[in-house]
Amino acid sequence: MALQTPKNMNITINENFSVDLYGFAGVASNMNWSHTGMTLMNKMWHEVRSHLLKHKGINIWVYEEKYKMFAGIELEMPPQQDTELELKKIRLPKYAYYKHTGPYAKIRETGSEVLNELNQRGIKTRLPHLEIYGHWTEDESKLETELLWCLA
């Protein structure tokens, strides 16, 4: 089901999203999500590269209750050797989806607009919330980030 907003935001309501991520969890002190996410992601990439783990190349940030977050990646297969990576299984029975195209610096603003639209329509969300980062490009106007909110 697609929800059209005055800004032509194409929000869809979907079912049954699941992903197994390998990465690291942390707490965003002072709600500094960006710094925390980057720190966790850099630690995750160091571990993935040092063990030569085959992966899908897409960073996924998971926002959870009590300022917890998880930065991870899908691996082609579970690690066959010991690593420090943590496994996080994400299951969203029903979720709202929106694809943000543009600079990462605008993701928070876009997310607020989507949440406002969902609230106006009486659609309640709950954590976790995910940001799935597409492949990097120098042209910030073409960066794609998928935003997913678990529905209550």
Side-chain angles (χ1 to χ4, degrees):
M1 165 174 67
L3 307 174
Q4 295 296 324
T5 68
K7 290 186 172 187
N8 294 322
M9 296 180 91
N10 187 19
I11 304 167
T12 60
I13 305 301
N14 303 306
E15 295 182 352
N16 300 321
F17 176 86
S18 67
V19 64
D20 292 345
L21 300 175
Y22 289 86
F24 292 101
V27 175
S29 55
N30 299 320
M31 293 182 21
N32 193 342
W33 301 104
S34 180
H35 174 73
T36 303
M38 290 298 292
T39 300
L40 295 171
M41 189 174 66
N42 289 338
K43 183 178 175 184
M44 178 267 307
W45 277 113
H46 174 76
E47 191 74 6
V48 167
R49 288 181 179 131
S50 69
H51 291 294
L52 304 172
L53 300 174
K54 293 189 186 298
H55 54 81
K56 296 187 179 181
I58 302 292
N59 295 306
I60 300 176
W61 289 11
V62 181
Y63 297 84
E64 302 177 287
E65 293 182 23
K66 299 181 181 177
Y67 308 107
K68 293 180 191 173
M69 73 180 304
F70 186 90
I73 190 168
E74 284 185 272
L75 296 178
E76 295 291 334
M77 66 172 58
Q80 302 302 307
Q81 70 266 22
D82 286 338
T83 70
E84 293 182 24
L85 293 170
E86 301 166 25
L87 171 62
K88 180 140 199 95
K89 293 177 178 277
I90 303 293
R91 306 292 180 260
L92 306 179
K94 191 171 184 181
Y95 63 98
Y97 172 91
Y98 179 77
K99 184 183 283 189
H100 167 79
T101 303
Y104 293 153
K106 297 282 189 180
I107 292 172
R108 180 178 286 197
E109 178 183 326
T110 298
S112 292
E113 291 172 1
V114 172
L115 284 174
N116 286 338
E117 180 63 25
L118 292 171
N119 285 334
Q120 286 178 9
R121 293 180 181 260
I123 298 171
K124 303 293 182 205
T125 63
R126 65 177 177 87
L127 294 172
H129 160 68
L130 281 68
E131 293 175 355
I132 303 173
Y133 293 87
H135 293 289
W136 172 256
T137 177
E138 292 288 329
D139 184 348
E140 285 190 346
S141 70
K142 294 181 180 175
L143 292 171
E144 293 184 343
T145 309
E146 297 174 281
L147 307 175
L148 286 70
W149 291 268
C150 189
L151 298 184

